[in-house]
Structure formats: C-alpha cells, structure tokens
Amino acid sequence: MKYDVVEKVQQAGLILGALGVIGFVGIIWLMIYGNLSGNLGFASGTTGYNNTENVITNITGGFNTFFGFSNTFFTIAAIVLLIFMLVGLLAIVWMIMTIQTGRNKGFDM
C-alpha cells in the first residue's frame, strides 16, 4: 500500500477549510440568534457581556503570567539546546575519530 503524502496534505487542507466554514457559520448564527444588542455586540450588564469580559480578563491574565515567566522558560530551553549541540558535536568528533583510526568498537581507545 503506497502512502501518498501530497494527497493526505490536500485532504487535510480540505477538511480544515470545511471546519473553518462551519465555525464561521456557527459564529454568525450565534451573533444573529444569540443574546446580542442591536449593534451585534453584547448589551452592557447582561450575562453574555459579563461572561465575555471574564474570558477576556482570564486570557489576558494568562498571557501576562506566561510572559512574566518566559525569560526562565527560554533560558532553560537555550541551555537544553546547547547541551544537545554539544552532544551532537561530541558524536561527530567521535565518528570522525573512529573512521580515521579504522576501529569501530565503541568507546575502547
């Protein structure tokens, strides 16, 4: 059975497009038939408005918390990347040394 990557990517693009259209129609439907004021926004003081403001506040707080700690995350990621680079360099040097000496027995010198 041949696995055609191009065909699978095209199918995935079609599925993603269909889901996007369904989501767009759903949002429009909620705007038209939901608890909205005349300007297609939530009326001030309603449950929908309060819930929307709470979601926006929570998302903003989450982003602020994440980016407050991002310097730590990125420093740890940089250290891990440096370790991987050093291990890769060690493996390359070890391979070159093994090829030049003609031995292929692992770590015995």
Side-chain angles (χ1 to χ4, degrees):
M1 178 177 167
K2 184 179 176 188
Y3 187 75
D4 189 10
V5 175
V6 174
E7 182 180 334
K8 296 297 179 186
V9 170
Q10 289 173 346
Q11 290 174 356
L14 291 174
I15 291 171
L16 186 62
L19 289 175
V21 169
I22 291 170
F24 179 73
V25 170
I27 289 173
I28 296 299
W29 185 82
L30 284 174
M31 288 175 68
I32 293 172
Y33 294 109
N35 181 18
L36 303 175
S37 66
N39 64 353
L40 293 179
F42 287 109
S44 181
T46 62
T47 303
Y49 177 80
N50 293 337
N51 289 341
T52 302
E53 290 298 315
N54 290 337
V55 168
I56 291 171
T57 302
N58 288 338
I59 290 174
T60 305
F63 278 123
N64 288 338
T65 302
F66 173 76
F67 287 112
F69 291 116
S70 65
N71 57 350
T72 304
F73 296 145
F74 294 138
T75 302
I76 292 171
I79 291 171
V80 168
L81 181 64
L82 180 63
I83 290 170
F84 278 124
M85 289 169 59
L86 290 174
V87 168
L89 181 63
L90 179 66
I92 291 170
V93 169
W94 190 262
M95 185 175 57
I96 291 171
M97 187 181 75
T98 304
I99 290 171
Q100 286 181 348
T101 59
R103 292 186 295 196
N104 195 10
K105 296 190 179 203
F107 285 102
D108 62 337
M109 302 262 249

